[in-house]
């Protein structure tokens, strides 16, 4: 079974608007971490934001915020005030470890975001 | 710091050939990993290492070998290349003491097997 599910293969947003990219996860480990990465067309993987399972507050990094709903096992990425340069693939990932996991993240299949001018 | 470096950037192999993809990091990270990226499949973990001398299999290990003799280097060996191994390969490293910084990725190696 997939541990990370990204149900939106593609998303479109108007420049300057906010967009939410969905991510749900599956784990029985009480200690885990969630990540979002951006992959522009140039191919490099860029780390955006991290949320630990014990963190009380939602993580924020500039225009990126992570809407962490632990009971629903969701970790959606919110990008505010979209810019043309936000057009890219976005990957959600999860690291487990306490119950025999490897502490190495596993990734979802990604969501392609296109920002329209 | 160079971060994570990978060589080569591009490679074409014939079926049955073997080769080694190189990965090195200069951040003294304990954890290193290899992923492959195929269209619509995200990144899938091939092998990983939590320290020098320690390696383990990921989700898709068949056809690949790894070793970790030093903290810096984590080469990936293709034993007998097959067309199904055509993919983009990423090496990554991370510090287990600071998970909030995420993994550092190399630029990737685009491999084509004909």
């Amino acid at each position: 079974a997939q541990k990370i599910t990204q149900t939106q293969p593609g998303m479109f947003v108007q420049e300057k608007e906010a967009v939410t990219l969905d991510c749900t996860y599956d784990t029985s480990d009480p200690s885990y971490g969630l990540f979002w990465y951006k992959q522009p067309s140039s191919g490099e993987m860029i780390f955006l934001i991290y949320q630990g399972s014990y963190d009380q507050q939602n993580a924020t990094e500039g225009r990126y915020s992570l809407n962490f709903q632990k009971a629903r096992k969701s970790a959606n990425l919110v990008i505010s005030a979209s810019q043309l340069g936000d057009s890219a693939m976005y990957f959600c990932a999860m690291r487990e470890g306490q119950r025999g996991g490897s502490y190495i993240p596993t990734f979802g299949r990604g969501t392609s975001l296109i920002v329209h001018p | 710091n160079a971060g994570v470096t990978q060589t080569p950037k591009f490679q074409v192999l014939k079926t049955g050939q073997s080769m080694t993809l190189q990965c090195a990091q200069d951040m003294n990270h304990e954890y290193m990993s290899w992923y492959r990226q195929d269209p619509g499949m995200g990144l899938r973990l091939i092998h990983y290492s939590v320290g020098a001398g320690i390696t383990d299999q990921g989700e898709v290990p068949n056809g690949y070998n790894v070793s970790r003799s030093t903290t810096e280097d984590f080469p990936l060996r293709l034993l007998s290349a097959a067309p199904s191994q055509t993919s983009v390969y990423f090496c990554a490293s991370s510090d287990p003491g600071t998970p909030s910084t995420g993994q550092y990725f190399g630029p990737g190696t685009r491999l084509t097997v004909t």
Side-chain angles (χ1 to χ4, degrees), chain B residues 2-29:
Chain B
V4 179
T5 57
Q6 290 182 238
T7 55
K9 285 191 166 46
F10 302 93
Q11 183 70 49
V12 179
L13 289 179
K14 292 189 188 314
T15 297
Q17 287 184 316
S18 63
M19 80 159 295
T20 299
L21 307 186
Q22 302 291 345
C23 175
Q25 52 95 7
D26 61 359
M27 296 170 282
N28 204 34
H29 285 168

Side-chain angles (χ1 to χ4, degrees), chain A residues 35 37 39 43 45 47 50 91 95 102-109, chain B residues 31 33 35 37 40-43 45 48 90 99-103 105:
Chain A
F35 305 82
Y37 287 83
Q39 186 180 42
M45 294 291 291
F47 167 67
Y50 169 81
F91 293 98
R95 169 193 60 82
S102 68
Y103 290 97
I104 303 294
T106 55
F107 283 75
R109 297 191 176 195
Chain B
Y31 288 5
S33 51
Y35 294 90
Q37 183 178 21
M41 298 298 291
L43 277 75
L45 183 64
Y48 64 95
F90 286 99
S100 60
T101 59
Q103 291 177 292
F105 281 83

Side-chain angles (χ1 to χ4, degrees), chain A residues 17-84:
Chain A
E17 293 186 349
V19 62
T20 297
L21 306 183
D22 294 341
C23 173
T24 57
Y25 59 91
D26 182 25
T27 182
S28 59
D29 195 326
S31 175
Y32 54 90
L34 297 153
F35 305 82
W36 278 92
Y37 287 83
K38 173 184 177 181
Q39 186 180 42
S41 58
S42 52
E44 72 266 34
M45 294 291 291
I46 302 168
F47 167 67
L48 296 178
I49 197 166
Y50 169 81
Q51 178 87 42
S53 58
Y54 294 122
D55 294 341
Q56 295 295 316
Q57 300 208 336
N58 286 346
T60 60
E61 289 287 348
R63 294 185 299 109
Y64 303 107
S65 60
L66 201 153
N67 184 0
F68 181 47
Q69 298 189 41
K70 198 168 182 177
R72 297 178 62 181
K73 295 190 174 179
S74 77
N76 298 340
L77 177 71
V78 180
I79 306 175
S80 63
S82 296
Q83 302 171 355
L84 296 178

